[in-house]
Amino acid sequence: MGTSVQLTPLSGVHSENPLSYLLSLDGFNFLVDCGWNDFFDPELLQPLSRVSSTIDAVLLSHPDTVHLGALPYAMKQFGLSAPVYSTEPVHKLGLLTMYDHYLSRRQVSDFDLFSLDDIDAAFQNVTRLTYSQDYHLSGKGEGIVITPHVAGHLLGGTIWKITKDGEDVIYAVDFNHRKERHLNGTVLESFVRPAVLITDAYNALNNQPSTRQRDQEFLDAILRTLRGDGKVLLPVDTAGRVLELILILEQYWTQHHLSYPIAFLTNVATSTIEYAKSSLEWMIDSIGKSFEHTRDNVFVLKNFNIIINKKELEKLPEGPKVVLASMASLEEGFSHDIFVEWAVDSKNLVVFTERAQFGTLARMLQVDPPPKVVKVTMHKRVPLVGEELKAYEEEQNRIKKEEALKASLSKEDDLKASCIVPDKSLSDPMVIDSAGGLISSEVASPRIVGYRDVLIDGFVPPSTSVSPMFPFYENSREWDDFGEVINPDDYAIKEEDMLDPTSVAVLGGGLEDKFDEDSNDMLLDSKPSKVVSNELTVQVKCSLIYKDFEGRSDSRSIKTILAHVAPLKLVLVHGSAEATEHLKQHCLKNVCSHVYAPQIGETIDVTSDLCAYKVRLSERLMSNVLFKKLGDYEIAWIDGEVNETDGMLTLVPLSTGPPLHKSVLVGDLKLADFKQFLASKGVPAEFSKGFLRCGENITLRKVGDSKGATQQVGIEGPLTEEYYKIRELLYSQFYLL
Amino acid sequence: MASNGPAPSMKKRESSGSREGDQLIITPLGAGNEVGRSCVFMSYKNKTVLFDCGIHPAYSGMAALPYFDEIDPSTIDVLLVTHFHLDHAASLPYFLEKTTFKGRVFMTHATKAIYRLILSDYVKVSKGSVEDMLYNEQDIIQSMDKIEVIDFHQTLEVNGIRFWCYTAGHVLGAAMFMVDIAGVRVLYTGDYSREEDRHLRAAELPQFSPDVCVIESTYGVQLHQPRVVREKRFTDVIHNTVAQGGRVLIPAFALGRAQELLLILDEYWSAHPELHNIPIYYASPLAKRCMAVYQTYINAMNERVRAQFEVSNPFDFKHISSLKSIENFDDVGPSVVMASPSGLQSGLSRQLFDMWCQDKKNACVIPGYVVEGTLAKTIINEPKDVTLSNGLTVPLNMQVHYISFSAHADYGQTFEFLKDLMPPNIILVHGEANEMGRLKQKLLAQLPDKNTKILTPKNCQTVEMHFNSEKMAKAIGRLAEKIPKEGEHVNGLLVKKGFTYQIIAPEDLHIFTQLSTGNIAQRISVPYEGAFSVIRHRLKQIYESVEPLGDPTESPTALLVHDRVTVKQENTKCVSIQWSTDPISDMVSDSVVTVILNINRGIARVGVMGEGVTEEEMERTAEKVVLALLNSLFGDVKRVAGEEGKMVVSVDGVVATVDSKSGVVECENEGLKQRLRTALRRIKSAVKPIPLQKISPFCYLERKL
């Protein structure tokens, strides 16, 4: 019997909400994608929270928020601890995307859903795979093979093929069949007849103009604005489609020797570009080729200013410029602030390159006609001053004192031998002193504070001692017959220390080196500050345009691809209700009869009704089989008898002679092709009313629909030599088995 | 999977039963009992793979090539190159451009990027010395277009050959290839190292055990010193030499280990400020050009380097400057120079050696494996005198240190690797004959699986192995609705794609493959003006079954002949014949046509066994025929009285009973039984050539058509 397959959507069906689905194969639960939206609304994750403990593996398909945004939160809050699988770029770019989100949020609010450590922890146990790598799961998932394949759309974007017992389940969302500047097109079309295909209906109602026309209009609009002394803002994602946009602009700037400043601004911009530079093997073949030949790396950008904070943006010359800033939703990040600043000037231009998430500011602006006025909330982190600062400091001092007390109490036991116990009353003034400079790091451990007290106020007599004295630690030494007892470890040469002090330092550095220094400063430097919010009404005077640079296959291509792949069962997810319904109806008519579009929480069973068993082909049987070659296939008719040994079925030749069987004609006849063929054999043929008239009197026609199981061809004519001749030619188009 | 060794007796036994191409052949065309010109040919089931395509560094021109004459390059499906070293990749342009090879070539991204630079350099360097160049720069550029890239772990399939690669350590981009042909796996390690170093990962242990492992044996039974000790010796020798005002020459190949040594030196200099005034030179413009490659393919390196990249580029050396040629070299005081080639055959390293070899303050550190026949190999043994390139013989005073950093596995690593991998067959290549022999003995003694076969073929010596390849087929679709029991019959279409087999019912063919079945309905009209009943009458004389169609009360205007062919009176001038194509129906229809034509021409009816014969009489006649035929075959055949169709056959005293109706044969002698059965079957098919039965549940024929 076939493998049982169930799918339960947790989010992102009949809507454009983030993607998250539970796919279960013979009881092994995959969570495919773990998305969130730019609002980070925990409400959306309700269904996930209920099932997270039963998940055995997580598969990620694209490095953006709607595909993996909820991973850190789910790992932290829902106890999701299953191993995660993704491609190398999805891992790295996903990590950067999450950093960017966190940093953008943190700068303007007390964002506490997850921390940088949670992000790190979540991405730490990701197993990174390469395209077409067959990864065999072990343990509970024994027998399941997962393979990532090229999806296009984003760098590292993945179509997952999950195979068990020769049955393929394919998860393909947000794929792009077109080659782009930096990405290969998807290989989805190379899969034929999978048992189950799960795909999205996101673009089912969307048709795209030609790429060239789109690029031209896009660049023209930007250039027009720049020439008109305006500024251009492109709200982009952190590390996904922006790479394609950068290449387009970089190329255009180089070709036309433009000198307008152009900047890429996210919290992790430098890391993103550095990573892109070293990921050529994941990009389109031509990029790799050009590197192999001339060592030209396309991501060595000559025209771009890669910047990670607004201070540097201000350093750029005044006047017309282009800025690509995250996030695409305009809800947070640099793009939000810049938009508020620039929207009021009618010379400026905002170019949207993707459909923004539902309900976001960017989505509101994408409607036609765009609203004249939008309300935005500006959050700002301001340093504390005056009263507030004082209150904060007092609070901090109190906390610190308590900590110091706690620390000293816990230290007490250890330090008893040395007779030094930092006195609470005496260390008091010390703390107040240091509070003037404010202990800059929250992570500074109370233990250090304790020591500092002791060291500086060294001459203060501790309450337990009679006279002031230096702290003295008695070094008790043990002796035995051979002298002092030593610990051999103290004298062993530690390999790591000797080998490379630098790299140890680097590895020990941990978090800090993972992202760009400045933003780092801002974060770790926790000057007392508070978040101030105010509602603003922004007059949208600037021009707004939308150009589709999403890099997803459009409606027509999706339909063609689905018809080609022709899955036995098709599941539609992620797409507005209309789009899903539209594609469902289309597929029911043209692709297959099992099309599902489940609701959130609804478990659908897509177990194939396919029966299968394995049988060994004995050498004796095979020596009598004559294969006929048909394209990639070789095909033969066999008659065999089953022999069972140790539960293993073996097919051996029949003991009696083979029975006659209804002969099978294999082949696919296209009348048009056949007409050509006849012409080449000197037989005139022409179509009339759906019939193919061959020679004088013979007619050929196709009966029944083309989709049917068996192709029916009819040949009719009077008894003539010609009849037999044409029949002979017709036979040559088929293989008789 | 079961495997047999290359024992000749096996071969003989198999050759009768199995078809050609089931034996696995492995032939080293180079690197068999030698180091250099790696090239291993393998063939199984008519699929051929060539691993590596190197040259021998100690020879030049055609003599340096592997023995390509032994094979037909046009038959090779896939050529896999493990890494960019000359002895693994340098004959590739020759093979691609100057032979009939038309298969596909694969290597990793990093290998391909460096391959181009390294070979261009090779062509430039050897230009002066060799007249018969194997290829030129143009050939290299052209070869680049034919080379395809493969990423680590990526599984590719070409022509039914599945292959993927694992990290091999050794140098950047070095790979071990696993090839899977019809379930038989062969692992080719190339050069590999199981020890992680400053920038490379250790070679991986493949997840699956291969059936054959072709493994390098460069270091034979030697054991490396621990890495820490080696590095300390290296830095100590250099530190001491320069401290005493000496010069250090490190002859090293431009790429690969050199980068590792530079990382060590740069780090050591950073840690020792007192050395900062002593220059380190790296005399290789080639390496400088390759730096971009090292900076780009960090995904092929280990985590440590990748973590460093996040901060600054570790390959951006702070204390090392590059040196273009000896003219730019200002030899004034102590210095450290790393120069190629590693064997001191010619070039900059040789020029420096000639300058420095007579001063005992100087030192030469040989950091890796040196090939037999080179000067570097000679000086390791510290001879009293050496011959300079100008022919003079001078005393060798400089100190020579041999500290191996070459990232080849030593005995310990090889043993552990093979112990964990447990391949039933091991083929040793890439090693000197003596070392290889020792390694073989030691492995045979120590490997836990005592049945392991270890082979050390020489160049062009073919190793043959036999694998009982099991062919598994998967029955799917409606054919598999019920799992058959012992003795039940299975019939359907056997579809082979690559090396996978499926058994499919014809109706399901279009579901599981891109093929479709077809059906041709034929309709032919034959002029006929006579009475329709005549046709019916005549047909009845020939066919067992001629059924009228349509309303039984009226006289029929359509007949179904033999359940297959419909004859229908269209009008008074013609009849039509309809049937669905298959060989028997075609034959029946032909005979029907003949009958009608004969009636038209007024030819007398064919001779018939009388009309109105009852079925019983027919049976009896048939039995008579059977008896007569059996008699002619077996001699003594008697009918058993009273029982219909039973006969007794006795041959040489062995008695058998035959039921001619059911075809059941009973006999104690198995041989006779089989013969009788066959005879009976043939007689039956002669007596009743066209069985009247619905042989298939799927009758395409639409009767009402």
Side-chain angles (χ1 to χ4, degrees):
Chain A
M1 271 292 136
T3 307
S4 103
V5 185
Q6 276 107 25
L7 184 85
T8 317
L10 303 174
S11 163
V13 282
H14 299 285
S15 72
E16 292 175 6
N17 278 340
L19 301 92
S20 181
Y21 312 99
L22 186 70
L23 175 69
S24 141
L25 258 83
D26 278 345
F28 189 87
N29 294 327
F30 285 101
L31 175 66
V32 275
D33 281 336
C34 188
W36 215 350
N37 61 10
D38 276 10
F39 296 111
F40 295 107
D41 176 10
E43 204 49 38
L44 276 175
L45 304 181
Q46 275 304 317
L48 174 61
S49 69
R50 283 195 289 272
V51 297
S52 60
S53 57
T54 64
I55 287 165
D56 298 303
V58 184
L59 306 180
L60 302 177
S61 60
H62 289 282
D64 60 2
T65 327
V66 292
H67 290 97
L68 53 71
L71 194 63
Y73 187 75
M75 291 254 177
K76 185 185 174 195
Q77 300 293 341
F78 304 151
L80 179 66
S81 57
V84 184
Y85 301 92
S86 81
T87 57
E88 172 79 42
V90 168
H91 169 256
K92 179 72 186 188
L93 298 177
L95 186 68
L96 292 174
T97 303
M98 294 315 292
Y99 280 162
D100 195 24
H101 269 297
Y102 178 83
L103 295 171
S104 309
R105 289 265 161 185
R106 190 69 196 174
Q107 276 161 28
V108 295
S109 68
D110 293 322
F111 182 73
D112 58 357
L113 290 173
F114 51 85
S115 67
L116 287 174
D117 287 340
D118 297 332
I119 300 175
D120 281 341
F123 280 88
Q124 209 146 44
N125 61 353
V126 173
T127 307
R128 287 163 273 173
L129 308 177
T130 51
Y131 285 143
S132 328
Q133 173 179 358
D134 291 335
Y135 189 88
H136 298 252
L137 297 181
S138 52
K140 190 182 170 192
E142 190 75 52
I144 299 179
V145 181
I146 54 172
T147 316
H149 288 280
V150 185
H153 183 52
L154 300 179
L155 187 61
T158 306
I159 289 173
W160 285 101
K161 185 171 101 175
I162 305 161
T163 309
K164 182 162 187 188
D165 292 337
E167 251 178 73
D168 296 341
V169 176
I170 291 174
Y171 175 76
V173 292
D174 295 327
F175 53 83
N176 187 10
H177 66 289
R178 292 190 204 187
K179 284 187 175 180
E180 293 184 281
R181 278 176 179 74
H182 80 297
L183 289 177
N184 274 321
T186 183
V187 294
L188 180 59
E189 277 173 287
S190 65
F191 303 113
V192 180
R193 292 251 149 223
V196 181
L197 173 69
I198 304 162
T199 190
D200 61 337
Y202 191 73
N203 251 0
L205 294 171
N206 212 357
N207 280 310
Q208 291 160 348
S210 80
T211 322
R212 180 176 301 189
Q213 187 194 342
R214 175 199 69 183
D215 288 1
Q216 200 52 50
E217 286 172 9
F218 170 72
L219 294 166
D220 284 349
I222 290 177
L223 205 59
R224 221 173 17 247
T225 310
L226 293 172
R227 296 221 164 107
D229 209 26
K231 297 172 191 149
V232 183
L233 169 68
L234 286 89
V236 291
D237 52 6
T238 310
R241 296 299 306 162
V242 65
L243 296 177
E244 180 76 8
L245 293 171
I246 286 176
L247 284 190
I248 294 172
L249 293 169
E250 168 79 15
Q251 199 183 342
Y252 191 73
W253 251 242
T254 308
Q255 269 172 11
H256 295 82
H257 308 288
L258 298 177
S259 57
Y260 298 108
I262 180 162
F264 173 40
L265 171 63
T266 74
N267 286 301
V268 290
T270 27
S271 299
T272 309
I273 298 300
E274 278 305 312
Y275 183 73
K277 267 192 229 168
S278 66
S279 302
L280 301 188
E281 59 264 54
W282 293 90
M283 296 180 193
I284 193 168
D285 304 341
S286 59
I287 287 184
K289 283 233 167 72
S290 93
F291 179 76
E292 284 153 9
H293 278 284
T294 58
R295 294 181 308 289
D296 282 340
N297 194 326
V298 284
F299 279 97
V300 175
L301 306 170
K302 293 176 193 74
N303 301 301
F304 263 87
N305 297 290
I306 297 154
I307 52 181
I308 49 169
N309 58 29
K310 276 189 83 182
K311 251 182 274 162
E312 285 182 61
L313 182 64
E314 280 148 21
K315 281 187 213 150
L316 292 181
E318 274 298 306
K321 57 175 83 101
V322 180
V323 176
L324 286 72
S326 64
M327 301 288 172
S329 60
L330 290 180
E331 282 297 321
E332 50 170 316
F334 297 114
S335 64
H336 177 80
D337 302 353
I338 297 173
F339 172 77
V340 172
E341 256 174 68
W342 291 3
V344 289
D345 189 341
S346 62
K347 279 186 295 190
N348 294 343
L349 170 71
V350 176
V351 187
F352 296 103
T353 54
E354 58 186 278
R355 255 175 300 160
Q357 290 167 32
F358 197 75
T360 59
L361 175 57
R363 185 63 171 248
M364 281 182 244
L365 293 165
Q366 283 171 18
V367 295
D368 194 38
K372 292 262 180 306
V373 175
V374 286
K375 273 210 173 101
V376 293
T377 318
M378 284 296 282
H379 301 285
K380 214 171 171 189
R381 195 174 270 279
V382 289
L384 297 179
V385 283
E387 287 293 299
E388 278 177 322
L389 182 64
K390 212 172 267 171
Y392 173 82
E393 279 167 2
E394 268 163 31
E395 175 69 10
Q396 288 297 310
N397 283 335
R398 200 181 51 76
I399 293 170
K400 210 177 320 247
K401 241 185 283 173
E402 274 170 19
E403 276 175 358
L405 176 63
K406 233 184 271 167
S408 55
L409 284 176
S410 66
K411 281 246 107 180
E412 210 162 327
D413 294 340
D414 309 343
L415 296 175
K416 235 170 203 159
S418 65
C419 311
I420 297 279
V421 176
D423 194 325
K424 186 178 86 173
S425 59
L426 284 167
S427 59
D428 226 355
M430 172 64 205
V431 174
I432 288 168
D433 276 348
S434 67
L438 251 179
I439 304 292
S440 65
S441 168
E442 284 175 343
V443 292
S445 74
R447 200 182 135 170
I448 291 172
V449 176
Y451 272 121
R452 213 152 54 166
D453 295 348
V454 170
L455 293 175
I456 293 172
D457 296 8
F459 289 103
V460 178
S463 53
T464 47
S465 74
V466 280
S467 58
M469 62 183 287
F470 265 115
F472 170 72
Y473 302 91
E474 191 176 7
N475 225 341
S476 63
R477 287 183 181 148
E478 276 183 58
W479 292 73
D480 64 10
D481 295 349
F482 302 97
E484 188 181 353
V485 175
I486 59 162
N487 179 5
D489 288 346
D490 296 342
Y491 300 89
I493 299 164
K494 288 210 180 76
E495 196 174 320
E496 288 303 318
D497 294 354
M498 205 179 101
L499 282 177
D500 31 19
T502 48
S503 69
V504 172
V506 166
L507 291 173
L511 199 135
E512 285 95 306
D513 43 72
K514 289 214 183 81
F515 39 126
D516 311 310
E517 276 161 37
D518 285 294
S519 56
N520 200 8
D521 281 355
M522 182 154 29
L523 251 183
L524 298 180
D525 169 32
S526 54
K527 282 206 187 82
S529 59
K530 65 167 183 178
V531 175
V532 189
S533 304
N534 54 330
E535 288 270 323
L536 271 183
T537 310
V538 178
Q539 303 274 335
V540 184
K541 289 195 182 135
C542 65
S543 352
L544 300 166
I545 59 167
Y546 168 69
K547 288 281 160 225
D548 182 355
F549 281 93
E550 282 177 357
R552 291 182 171 101
S553 289
D554 64 353
S555 173
R556 214 180 43 213
S557 332
I558 288 175
K559 288 171 187 165
T560 322
I561 291 170
L562 289 183
H564 182 83
V565 173
L568 299 181
K569 295 197 174 180
L570 178 68
V571 184
L572 297 175
V573 295
H574 198 235
S576 64
E578 299 136 323
T580 309
E581 190 53 32
H582 170 82
L583 195 59
K584 183 176 174 182
Q585 291 312 326
H586 173 86
C587 291
L588 276 174
K589 224 181 287 167
N590 299 308
V591 179
C592 64
S593 48
H594 301 282
V595 183
Y596 304 86
Q599 301 291 340
I600 288 180
E602 178 192 355
T603 301
I604 51 158
D605 190 14
V606 279
T607 305
S608 67
D609 357 276
L610 188 71
C611 317
Y613 61 86
K614 280 198 165 177
V615 60
R616 211 163 64 91
L617 300 169
S618 66
E619 199 59 48
R620 227 153 34 97
L621 180 75
M622 292 307 285
S623 59
N624 289 322
V625 170
L626 277 178
F627 280 106
K628 288 187 175 162
K629 203 161 166 52
L630 262 156
D632 286 348
Y633 297 95
E634 285 176 69
I635 191 161
W637 182 273
I638 54 159
D639 287 298
E641 198 173 290
V642 173
N643 250 353
E644 199 170 347
T645 39
D646 313 326
M648 182 82 165
L649 300 176
T650 308
L651 218 51
V652 297
L654 296 180
S655 45
T656 59
L660 283 170
H661 63 85
K662 174 81 189 171
S663 59
V664 183
L665 289 169
V666 180
D668 193 4
L669 183 82
K670 301 257 185 309
L671 284 185
D673 293 347
F674 187 59
K675 183 184 162 209
Q676 295 264 315
F677 179 72
L678 284 176
S680 75
K681 296 287 174 193
V683 180
E686 59 185 31
F687 282 106
S688 75
K689 296 176 196 158
F691 290 77
L692 183 67
R693 295 191 72 85
C694 318
E696 296 284 298
N697 299 309
I698 316 296
T699 55
L700 217 70
R701 72 204 151 103
K702 273 190 151 180
V703 191
D705 61 327
S706 56
K707 221 178 101 201
T710 303
Q711 195 183 34
Q712 294 275 356
V713 181
I715 176 167
E716 259 184 70
L719 180 70
T720 51
E721 248 181 67
E722 200 176 31
Y723 179 88
Y724 288 98
K725 185 176 163 194
I726 289 167
R727 190 177 81 172
E728 203 55 48
L729 294 173
L730 182 62
Y731 280 8
S732 70
Q733 302 295 302
F734 289 93
Y735 285 89
L736 183 70
L737 293 166
Chain B
M1 189 161 292
S3 70
N4 295 322
S9 61
M10 291 288 185
K11 201 180 136 200
K12 214 170 272 172
R13 186 178 61 78
E14 289 283 338
S15 59
S16 56
S18 70
R19 285 175 298 166
E20 214 197 317
D22 268 13
Q23 71 195 14
L24 174 68
I25 292 173
I26 294 184
T27 315
L29 304 179
N33 281 286
E34 65 173 355
V35 175
R37 58 173 154 189
S38 282
C39 190
V40 176
F41 171 85
M42 85 164 251
S43 167
Y44 183 58
K45 293 199 181 254
N46 297 323
K47 309 282 177 196
T48 50
V49 180
L50 197 63
F51 296 106
D52 277 342
C53 212
I55 52 143
H56 200 298
Y59 307 124
S60 61
M62 290 296 216
L65 289 177
Y67 295 91
F68 290 138
D69 299 346
E70 289 293 308
I71 52 159
D72 177 3
S74 65
T75 60
I76 290 175
D77 296 301
V78 182
L79 170 49
L80 304 172
V81 177
T82 56
H83 63 281
F84 57 70
H85 275 155
L86 291 178
D87 61 333
H88 291 262
S91 60
L92 193 55
Y94 175 85
F95 197 69
L96 293 185
E97 300 300 320
K98 315 267 159 142
T99 69
T100 54
F101 174 75
K102 52 185 195 302
R104 294 171 69 181
V105 193
F106 291 90
M107 52 176 77
T108 59
H109 291 86
T111 304
K112 189 179 175 191
I114 298 177
Y115 156 87
R116 155 130 170 64
L117 295 164
I118 224 165
L119 288 205
S120 300
D121 187 68
Y122 168 70
V123 166
K124 253 180 249 144
V125 169
S126 50
K127 203 166 228 169
S129 56
V130 185
E131 294 301 315
D132 51 344
M133 283 298 298
L134 291 171
Y135 47 84
N136 57 28
E137 179 74 21
Q138 198 52 42
D139 294 322
I140 299 171
I141 293 168
Q142 278 170 17
S143 75
M144 284 294 281
D145 293 335
K146 296 184 186 163
I147 298 170
E148 295 167 71
V149 284
I150 179 170
D151 208 348
F152 292 103
H153 301 124
Q154 187 180 4
T155 308
L156 291 179
E157 184 167 341
V158 175
N159 241 347
I161 306 168
R162 274 159 51 83
F163 57 93
W164 59 93
C165 60
Y166 297 98
T167 314
H170 194 60
V171 291
L172 183 68
M176 303 191 282
F177 279 98
M178 183 78 96
V179 172
D180 180 330
I181 302 175
V184 172
R185 293 202 184 97
V186 177
L187 177 73
Y188 178 79
T189 64
D191 294 353
Y192 76 106
S193 165
R194 293 276 284 155
E195 188 175 54
E196 178 160 339
D197 62 19
R198 253 153 230 271
H199 69 293
L200 295 172
R201 282 185 210 144
E204 286 169 89
L205 187 71
Q207 209 178 349
F208 312 100
S209 172
D211 298 293
V212 182
C213 179
V214 184
I215 192 167
E216 66 140 325
S217 49
T218 320
Y219 277 88
V221 294
Q222 296 175 37
L223 289 173
H224 295 324
Q225 284 175 321
R227 194 178 124 206
V228 187
V229 178
R230 260 183 289 149
E231 288 186 5
K232 185 146 169 47
R233 268 181 65 203
F234 180 68
T235 48
D236 283 355
V237 164
I238 290 170
H239 198 149
N240 290 340
T241 309
V242 293
Q244 289 162 20
R247 298 158 176 86
V248 183
L249 171 66
I250 309 170
F253 186 62
L255 282 165
R257 303 321 302 155
Q259 275 62 35
E260 176 74 6
L261 296 177
L262 291 174
L263 284 175
I264 297 173
L265 284 177
D266 199 47
E267 223 164 71
Y268 190 78
W269 250 243
S270 299
H272 293 80
E274 70 272 22
L275 293 172
H276 283 187
N277 55 348
I278 293 166
I280 308 176
Y281 293 109
Y282 183 29
S284 173
L286 167 66
K288 215 177 149 196
R289 283 199 294 273
C290 288
M291 234 42 212
V293 181
Y294 271 78
Q295 286 160 9
T296 301
Y297 291 116
I298 58 164
N299 287 335
M301 297 186 206
N302 62 18
E303 296 294 330
R304 177 202 300 259
V305 168
R306 286 160 73 178
Q308 281 185 28
F309 261 105
E310 309 258 342
V311 186
S312 74
N313 184 356
F315 288 102
D316 200 359
F317 301 115
K318 289 166 201 72
H319 304 280
I320 295 163
S321 37
S322 73
L323 186 63
K324 235 180 158 185
S325 68
I326 192 128
E327 286 78 37
N328 308 37
F329 180 49
D330 197 9
D331 189 13
V332 285
S335 60
V336 180
V337 182
M338 191 181 291
S340 59
S342 58
L344 296 172
Q345 302 98 317
S346 56
L348 190 64
S349 65
R350 181 58 177 268
Q351 289 170 318
L352 291 170
F353 178 81
D354 287 357
M355 277 163 61
W356 293 349
C357 69
Q358 296 178 62
D359 190 342
K360 67 171 186 293
K361 275 196 296 189
N362 296 341
C364 177
V365 181
I366 295 167
Y369 186 83
V370 277
V371 180
E372 210 62 65
T374 58
L375 177 64
K377 184 80 181 176
T378 317
I379 62 166
I380 282 185
N381 300 323
E382 305 195 27
K384 286 223 160 54
D385 307 302
V386 286
T387 310
L388 302 185
S389 19
N390 57 16
L392 293 175
T393 303
V394 295
L396 174 69
N397 290 329
M398 96 196 282
Q399 305 166 50
V400 178
H401 298 273
Y402 175 57
I403 306 169
S404 173
F405 282 95
S406 70
H408 289 276
D410 65 353
Y411 177 72
Q413 294 176 26
T414 305
F415 175 71
E416 286 297 324
F417 186 71
L418 291 174
K419 198 182 79 180
D420 294 340
L421 203 59
M422 294 188 301
N425 301 283
I426 298 169
I427 294 175
L428 301 179
V429 294
H430 201 274
E432 305 293 345
N434 289 340
E435 286 288 350
M436 213 182 245
R438 263 176 249 146
L439 177 63
K440 178 180 172 180
Q441 292 314 320
K442 201 159 174 187
L443 283 175
L444 279 176
Q446 295 195 347
L447 278 178
D449 181 2
K450 294 299 168 207
N451 294 323
T452 308
K453 293 190 180 61
I454 303 182
L455 301 159
T456 56
K458 295 194 175 64
N459 282 341
C460 306
Q461 194 179 1
T462 297
V463 173
E464 288 172 6
M465 281 171 231
H466 251 283
F467 291 95
N468 288 336
S469 60
E470 282 192 342
K471 293 189 184 76
M472 291 301 295
K474 202 174 152 194
I476 49 174
R478 58 188 82 177
L479 197 72
E481 272 163 16
K482 196 164 83 23
I483 295 173
K485 302 233 165 37
E486 169 91 38
E488 285 185 336
H489 290 189
V490 172
N491 42 34
L493 291 173
L494 182 65
V495 180
K496 178 184 176 195
K497 191 182 183 191
F499 289 105
T500 58
Y501 295 88
Q502 287 180 320
I503 304 174
I504 304 173
E507 304 75 49
D508 285 341
L509 188 67
H510 73 285
I511 299 177
F512 302 110
T513 68
Q514 284 156 302
L515 304 171
S516 55
T517 52
N519 182 35
I520 302 173
Q522 305 198 32
R523 187 157 171 270
I524 190 167
S525 49
V526 184
Y528 177 73
E529 293 181 358
F532 193 65
S533 57
V534 178
I535 296 178
R536 184 182 177 191
H537 180 70
R538 290 285 178 87
L539 288 175
K540 267 198 164 167
Q541 291 174 338
I542 298 177
Y543 291 101
E544 274 179 83
S545 156
V546 177
E547 299 298 329
L549 291 175
D551 194 345
T553 54
E554 290 172 35
S555 81
T557 55
L559 301 168
L560 180 63
V561 183
H562 212 86
D563 272 349
R564 294 165 177 274
V565 178
T566 313
V567 182
K568 190 175 170 193
Q569 185 171 25
E570 292 291 322
N571 49 43
T572 51
K573 292 211 168 140
C574 83
V575 291
S576 72
I577 305 166
Q578 287 179 25
W579 73 100
S580 175
T581 301
D582 79 64
I584 295 171
S585 303
D586 282 4
M587 189 174 73
V588 174
S589 74
D590 285 352
S591 78
V592 171
V593 169
T594 316
V595 166
I596 296 171
L597 289 179
N598 282 349
I599 299 169
N600 274 351
R601 277 192 270 162
I603 293 176
R605 59 184 204 184
V606 276
V608 182
M609 309 178 281
E611 271 165 76
V613 230
T614 61
E615 205 150 292
E616 219 167 278
E617 280 166 338
M618 287 278 280
E619 283 291 332
R620 222 166 290 151
T621 327
E623 201 183 317
K624 249 187 225 163
V625 175
V626 174
L627 183 71
L629 286 168
L630 279 181
N631 232 328
S632 68
L633 281 168
F634 296 94
D636 190 6
V637 182
K638 287 193 192 74
R639 201 180 295 186
V640 179
E643 282 184 79
E644 275 287 314
K646 281 239 168 148
M647 299 167 204
V648 177
V649 184
S650 41
V651 179
D652 296 339
V654 184
V655 181
T657 48
V658 176
D659 188 332
S660 67
K661 258 189 187 165
S662 61
V664 174
V665 180
E666 281 166 40
C667 179
E668 288 181 3
N669 185 315
E670 193 58 36
L672 181 63
K673 192 172 163 182
Q674 285 295 341
R675 275 168 58 203
L676 271 170
R677 229 182 237 170
T678 314
L680 211 57
R681 203 172 67 220
R682 288 186 183 150
I683 292 168
K684 274 215 150 169
S685 64
V687 173
K688 288 185 176 180
I690 311 168
L692 177 66
Q693 53 176 320
K694 292 207 182 79
I695 46 170
S696 154
F698 352 104
C699 192
Y700 298 120
L701 189 71
E702 294 167 56
R703 292 193 176 193
K704 286 180 195 125
L705 208 133

